[in-house]
């Protein structure tokens, strides 16, 4: 499973249709809306995931 950094939803990576690359890593999203939010401000969503 992978986690959508925007809404926190757990996703099956085989089922992911929306992804973005940022700083050499690939992030997965449940929807185009989440992908767009991430693309606008990736740092804001990643800050909470580092812990
Ligand atoms: Zn989402």
């Amino acid at each position: 499973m992978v986690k959508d950094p925007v809404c926190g939803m757990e996703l099956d990576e085989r089922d992911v249709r929306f992804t973005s690359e940022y700083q050499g890593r690939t992030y997965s999203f449940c929807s185009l809306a989440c992908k767009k939010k991430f693309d606008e401000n990736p740092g804001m969503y990643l800050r909470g995931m580092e812990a």
Side-chain angles (χ1 to χ4, degrees), residues 25-44:
R25 292 187 58 185
T26 302
Y27 297 94
S28 304
F29 307 95
C30 67
S31 66
L32 187 57
C34 281
K35 175 178 156 57
K36 281 184 172 174
K37 283 188 194 175
F38 180 86
D39 287 345
E40 283 168 11
N41 197 350
M44 186 179 115

Side-chain angles (χ1 to χ4, degrees), residues 2 4 9 12-13 15 17 19-20 27 31 33-34 44 46-47 51:
V2 293
D4 179 331
M9 189 185 290
D12 187 329
E13 53 266 79
D15 221 32
R17 281 180 294 166
T19 60
S20 281
Y27 297 94
S31 66
C34 281
M44 186 179 115
L46 294 181
R47 209 176 304 153

